[in-house]
Amino acid sequence: MEKFIVHGGSSLSGNVNISGSKNASLPILAATLLTREQCTIRRVPDVADTNYMLQILQNLGAEVERASGNVVIKCEKLRSHEAPYDLVRKMRASVCVMGPLLARHNRANVSLPGGCVIGDRPIDLHLKGLEGLGAEVTVEGGNVNLEARFGLNGNTLDMAGKHGATVLGTDNVMMAAVLAKGKTVINGAACEPEVVDLADFLISMGAKIEGAGTPVIEIEGVTELGGVEHTVIPDRIEAGTFLVAGAMAAKDTITLRRVKHEHLTSVIEVLKQCGCEISTTDTTITISKAKNPVGANITTEPYPGFPTDMQAQMCSLFAVTPGLSVVRDTIFPQRFMHASEMKRMGADIEVDDGTAVIKGVEQLSAAPVMASDLRASAALVLSGLTAKGNTEISRVYHIDRGYEHIDDKLIDLGASIERVPD
Ligand code: EPU
């Protein structure tokens, strides 16, 4: 295992290239199972989660080549329709092979992902949607078996859950419906840019999809899809994380390159409310620290609302912003593992019932802390940047699951971070 030692007090400036989106790459890689032909996916970030997904695809029979961000996949023949526990337990997003396997093979056997540190993450809506297309679902021995002996049939489905839409659930059903007979209407679909990117990929393969990016997606099934090349969208959460780094530690400005600011409207709005100056071009966002920083109240919501994947990072900013800030997570109300670690660094945070009330202090002080999940780890790195002393963050494998070389990118901006064996 490795840990980071983040030396506090450095200030950042310069440019950083944003990687391709992890959360767009994962379902797009799974969707390559829908064709026998070769697909080339560009800008796949080199992070542990995309590697897990490629292992799952190889296990299912895909041939995979990976070189500098480009992944070439050909799944001429499926060898298996099973995604075993060994692989699924490493990454919940493995469940998004269910839809493509059902569509291509009429069967899928996927281990049920277990509990997760950010809260209960059921897949009932995925299963409801796939059942609606005609799959029989049984759960046995920790595995979910899906079977559609006579193929899938289009249907009108309601995918909304009590916390709103489901991103990977929408993806799963969309990937199943593209090869189903007839028309599928997904009501209550997730509108996230990653869902749109998957739809764009499927459309280029020959699928007939309308309405992706809205709560109603209409799909007319086709009999076959072909191989294509696709470039995944920039990672809006990595970009948001670097914006918060800029808000906390920019000497003058930092500029994010290869980014789509329109995917970050809610994050940019909140950072502006906090006093940061932000300017954008088609492919860049530039941020400078607030001269008179103020806190804010944020509530996470499905896109285009404030993303749950950015709330931990905002807690880091608010921990050192004068005044009171409130962060409420309605999507994953238990996703506050970072708060107790930040308290060890002197943050004044009280969490109750999915809401963190944060009273800004002048400066955090370094302490040994433990990364618990991807975004919580990012929050600890951000806290370490401006803390007094050297913050040791253990279990950084969590951060390597979803951030491509975050330490190197921050070092290029002027941070002082060491990656050392733990
Ligand atoms: N939900 C259900 N039933 C379901 C599915 C979801 O009740 O069958 C609930 C969840 O418990 C949650 C809400 O619906 O309260 C939204 O969950 P969603 O299904 O949208 O989450 P996901 O698709 O499993 C993706 C991202 C997460 C991100 C969420 C929310 C990927 C690979 N993961 O997960 O990303 O937090 O959407 O935006 O796309 C991360 O990158 O750190 C991360 C956790």
Side-chain angles (χ1 to χ4, degrees):
M1 277 209 276
E2 291 176 323
K3 67 180 175 186
F4 280 168
I5 303 174
V6 182
H7 300 273
S10 38
S11 37
L12 310 180
S13 62
N15 304 313
V16 56
N17 286 339
I18 297 305
S19 299
S21 161
K22 163 186 84 84
N23 288 350
S25 298
L26 295 172
I28 288 173
L29 293 173
T32 62
L33 293 173
L34 290 165
T35 177
R36 293 168 189 280
E37 293 178 15
Q38 177 171 299
C39 295
T40 302
I41 318 296
R42 304 195 190 286
R43 286 192 78 189
V44 176
D46 182 13
V47 295
D49 276 10
T50 58
N51 284 322
Y52 292 142
M53 181 55 84
L54 294 177
Q55 279 175 34
I56 289 173
L57 299 182
Q58 279 171 319
N59 204 55
L60 292 168
E63 286 165 34
V64 174
E65 276 175 45
R66 179 170 205 166
S68 65
N70 294 340
V71 178
V72 180
I73 306 181
K74 188 171 181 186
C75 192
E76 201 165 354
K77 210 161 173 249
L78 277 174
R79 187 169 50 220
S80 152
H81 56 274
E82 289 179 18
Y85 185 57
D86 255 12
L87 292 171
V88 175
R89 76 189 165 89
K90 291 185 184 154
M91 182 184 66
R92 301 183 54 82
S94 329
V95 296
C96 67
V97 297
M98 282 192 304
L101 282 177
L102 255 183
R104 172 108 181 244
H105 213 269
N106 288 346
R107 292 175 75 185
N109 182 298
V110 176
S111 182
L112 273 176
C116 174
V117 74
I118 70 174
D120 187 22
R121 294 180 70 187
I123 59 162
D124 56 312
L125 298 169
H126 300 231
L127 300 181
K128 181 179 149 193
L130 297 171
E131 268 180 325
L133 296 179
E136 265 180 50
V137 179
T138 49
V139 177
E140 211 183 317
N143 298 318
V144 46
N145 296 302
L146 298 114
E147 188 162 1
R149 219 171 299 165
F150 305 107
L152 297 169
N153 290 299
N155 198 355
T156 297
L157 308 168
D158 181 5
M159 293 288 294
K162 65 173 190 273
H163 295 285
T166 160
V167 176
L168 291 177
T170 303
D171 290 344
N172 245 330
V173 171
M174 191 160 66
M175 289 187 279
V178 287
L179 290 178
K181 283 186 214 92
K183 182 172 177 173
T184 297
V185 179
I186 306 177
N187 289 312
C191 303
E192 270 67 5
E194 294 77 16
V195 175
V196 178
D197 203 24
L198 172 64
D200 286 344
F201 175 62
L202 294 168
I203 291 167
S204 66
M205 292 171 90
K208 293 193 177 150
I209 303 174
E210 279 178 18
T214 77
V216 183
I217 300 181
E218 296 190 354
I219 301 157
E220 194 63 56
V222 297
T223 50
E224 182 166 74
L225 297 174
V228 288
E229 295 195 6
H230 181 83
T231 303
V232 296
I233 55 171
D235 195 310
R236 64 191 168 103
I237 306 300
E238 187 201 17
T241 305
F242 277 97
L243 285 179
V244 175
M248 292 178 74
K251 183 164 62 190
D252 33 61
T253 61
I254 70 166
T255 296
L256 281 50
R257 297 195 294 212
R258 307 179 78 182
V259 68
K260 276 189 194 295
H261 67 83
E262 58 273 30
H263 292 167
L264 283 143
T265 307
S266 59
V267 175
I268 290 174
E269 217 168 88
V270 170
L271 289 171
K272 281 185 174 170
Q273 270 174 37
C274 296
C276 298
E277 278 179 31
I278 297 179
S279 60
T280 60
T281 69
D282 273 359
T283 57
T284 68
I285 309 177
T286 298
I287 182 163
S288 56
K289 248 168 85 169
K291 290 192 181 75
N292 296 304
V294 287
N297 289 358
I298 55 174
T299 299
T300 66
E301 283 169 355
Y303 190 82
F306 195 90
T308 170
D309 292 344
M310 279 301 300
Q311 66 89 343
Q313 301 88 316
M314 292 305 292
C315 288
S316 300
L317 173 63
F318 293 150
V320 288
T321 300
L324 215 58
S325 298
V326 179
V327 177
R328 187 163 159 252
D329 198 329
T330 58
I331 297 174
F332 295 116
Q334 296 165 47
R335 193 180 202 177
F336 282 99
M337 299 290 280
H338 45 284
S340 35
E341 296 302 296
M342 285 165 58
K343 273 183 170 181
R344 304 192 63 245
M345 300 175 70
D348 185 344
I349 306 185
E350 287 311 321
V351 180
D352 188 26
D353 201 16
T355 302
V357 177
I358 306 168
K359 204 166 149 200
V361 297
E362 205 176 311
Q363 192 179 23
L364 298 182
S365 53
V369 288
M370 203 165 70
S372 57
D373 69 84
L374 176 58
R375 309 303 170 189
S377 333
L380 296 178
V381 173
L382 293 171
S383 292
L385 288 177
T386 57
K388 184 166 187 285
N390 304 329
T391 302
E392 288 192 16
I393 306 172
S394 56
R395 301 195 177 180
V396 294
Y397 60 86
H398 284 292
I399 208 161
D400 293 331
R401 291 188 54 174
Y403 287 91
E404 194 172 45
H405 314 305
I406 192 171
D407 41 345
D408 295 338
K409 288 187 181 188
L410 283 167
I411 290 167
D412 282 349
L413 289 171
S416 173
I417 302 177
E418 292 171 76
R419 183 188 279 266
V420 295
D422 198 2

